[in-house]
Amino acid sequence: MDKKISIVIPCYNEEGNISVLVDKIFSITHHLEYDFELIFIDDGSKDNTIKEIQNQCLRHINIFYVELSRNFGKDQALRAGLAVANGDAVITMDADLQHPPSLITKLVNYWEEGFEVIYTYRETNNPHVSWYQKLFSKAYYKVMNFLSSIELEEGISDFRLMDRKVLKSLNLIIEQDIFFRGIIKWVGYQQIGIPYTPDKRENGEVSYSIFRLVKLAVSSVLSFSVKPLIIATFMGVIFAFLAVLLAPYIIISYLLGYAVSGWTSLITTIVFFGGLQLFILGVISLYLSKLYLQSKHRPNYLIRKTNYLNISNDSVKF
Ligand code: UDP
Ligand code: MG
């Protein structure tokens, strides 16, 4: 029997893209000797995405949907897809056609060669990305690689193929704030990265605002390292040392009767250290909030409805 490959596609307000995407994928997979299935994860879309998907399900027996109970975010939608998919390999890709389906052949060929994770990264210098996205992306990967122990390529995407073994490992991970691009590196296995040029978004809006990108950056750093805590501690030590250096100045000013003239330096110091302390407290509370959320053991996503047969009760990960 042919090997089965599940293609998992998270969708949030993608009604205009579904049918085009299905056609494009099938035009590629058609030529390959595998059983392909498409699993669409509707991540609480506000438009008719789920209707579009269900229409496709009526047309093709190898298309399935998993409807989440609300919008849980792309990473959780992916996680829902990976938890249910039962192919020998799983490919994850975006619904907006930015991940060229033509690359599927290449992904599968590398898989046949024995690679277990075949990930893709955006070729830099592509015209479809705005300047602030480029700038942010550069800074983002620099900071991320500095702060965590994971080396991520710039432009690494969620378009990848994973062997069943990798999937099993991923499904063991129970952390709430999962960051797939990092976690994939963390799991190890035989990995290879291939570059691609993203296509322009077909329909709908890019759903990541700058604010969401910042949030993503913060959560990816927090989920991979405690370096910010170490840096905060070092800063505390350095500034305490600097404060000690101020002591002679304070004593001499006092002895010479200049105390009042020190107002400027005093207020500067107070404001500066006040700010620094708030910053460090902020860093600590970010970690604390992660701990708090994790300690509640809430499920990461909830499935409202699905026509995928192999879902068992334990498919919702705790
Ligand atoms: N997506 C999702 N949930 C969300 C936001 C996005 O499932 O809350 C999906 C979206 O439908 C698309 C993919 O994640 O298939 C990537 O989203 P988008 O194209 O907006 O982001 P980008 O291409 O900038 O990563
Ligand atoms: Mg996109």
Side-chain angles (χ1 to χ4, degrees):
M1 219 178 80
D2 285 345
K3 282 193 254 184
K4 182 158 133 189
I5 300 181
S6 315
I7 302 183
V8 168
I9 307 162
C11 304
Y12 180 62
N13 298 343
E14 303 280 6
E15 60 179 5
N17 293 328
I18 306 291
S19 61
V20 194
L21 181 68
V22 167
D23 290 345
K24 283 208 176 164
I25 292 180
F26 281 159
S27 73
I28 302 292
T29 56
H30 189 70
H31 303 290
L32 300 169
E33 303 260 300
Y34 297 92
D35 270 347
F36 277 95
E37 67 178 9
L38 268 55
I39 308 175
F40 285 96
I41 316 296
D42 177 43
D43 187 18
S45 299
K46 307 248 182 317
D47 63 2
N48 283 322
T49 301
I50 188 68
K51 293 251 160 56
E52 279 294 318
I53 300 170
Q54 283 165 342
N55 277 341
Q56 293 296 328
C57 294
L58 295 178
R59 239 167 261 152
H60 307 271
I61 51 159
N62 55 344
I63 297 189
F64 302 94
Y65 70 87
V66 174
E67 185 187 359
L68 301 187
S69 65
R70 63 168 168 88
N71 179 255
F72 281 90
K74 182 188 179 182
D75 280 308
Q76 302 302 357
L78 275 176
R79 171 179 256 181
L82 297 185
V84 301
N86 66 2
D88 297 298
V90 169
I91 294 176
T92 56
M93 67 193 292
D94 286 359
D96 59 7
L97 300 156
Q98 282 187 308
H99 295 160
S102 53
L103 223 62
I104 290 176
T105 318
K106 218 169 175 182
L107 296 178
V108 172
N109 286 345
Y110 277 113
W111 180 48
E112 283 300 334
E113 276 179 31
F115 288 100
E116 289 142 330
V117 176
I118 302 106
Y119 59 87
T120 65
Y121 54 90
R122 277 193 313 270
E123 204 108 61
T124 38
N125 285 333
N126 88 79
H128 304 314
V129 180
S130 67
W131 66 268
Y132 77 78
Q133 278 176 319
K134 270 186 199 159
L135 192 76
F136 189 89
S137 154
K138 257 219 158 54
Y140 173 73
Y141 288 100
K142 279 250 149 53
V143 172
M144 175 72 188
N145 288 342
F146 169 73
L147 287 179
S148 68
S149 44
I150 310 271
E151 275 292 316
L152 288 182
E153 278 91 347
E154 190 186 335
I156 193 164
S157 81
D158 277 318
F159 184 22
R160 69 176 82 81
L161 182 148
M162 290 161 285
D163 187 87
R164 175 109 218 120
K165 292 194 274 289
V166 180
L167 213 63
K168 279 202 179 133
S169 309
L170 282 177
N171 288 338
L172 290 177
I173 295 170
I174 51 163
E175 67 188 72
Q176 285 240 318
D177 214 356
I178 201 159
F179 173 59
F180 266 103
R181 277 163 269 184
I183 278 289
I184 287 293
K185 285 278 167 149
W186 177 88
V187 292
Y189 293 97
Q190 289 295 319
Q191 305 210 357
I192 187 166
I194 52 180
Y196 77 99
T197 314
D199 295 331
K200 206 167 145 22
R201 205 175 205 299
E202 279 294 298
N203 276 300
E205 288 288 303
V206 178
S207 39
Y208 286 116
S209 61
I210 287 202
F211 175 71
R212 285 183 68 173
L213 284 174
V214 172
K215 218 175 120 200
L216 186 71
V218 171
S219 86
S220 63
V221 168
L222 291 188
S223 57
F224 273 101
S225 94
V226 289
K227 266 196 192 160
L229 289 179
I230 297 168
I231 294 171
T233 314
F234 267 109
M235 268 159 73
V237 171
I238 288 168
F239 283 107
F241 182 68
L242 287 179
V244 170
L245 291 185
L246 269 180
Y249 169 73
I250 295 166
I251 294 168
I252 290 167
S253 305
Y254 177 74
L255 291 178
L256 298 179
Y258 293 154
V260 175
S261 72
W263 185 83
T264 317
S265 63
L266 191 67
I267 208 76
T268 318
T269 321
I270 290 175
V271 169
F272 181 74
F273 282 102
L276 187 71
Q277 280 168 354
L278 282 182
F279 172 73
I280 292 175
L281 262 181
V283 173
I284 294 170
S285 31
L286 282 175
Y287 281 97
L288 202 63
S289 66
K290 272 190 75 103
L291 208 63
Y292 170 65
L293 288 176
Q294 186 79 45
S295 72
K296 292 198 272 199
H297 299 295
R298 285 197 188 139
N300 294 308
Y301 54 83
L302 296 169
I303 294 175
R304 179 168 177 267
K305 215 172 157 207
T306 174
N307 66 344
Y308 197 75
L309 294 173
N310 301 296
I311 293 189
S312 58
N313 285 334
D314 65 359
S315 61
V316 177
K317 292 279 162 203
F318 288 93

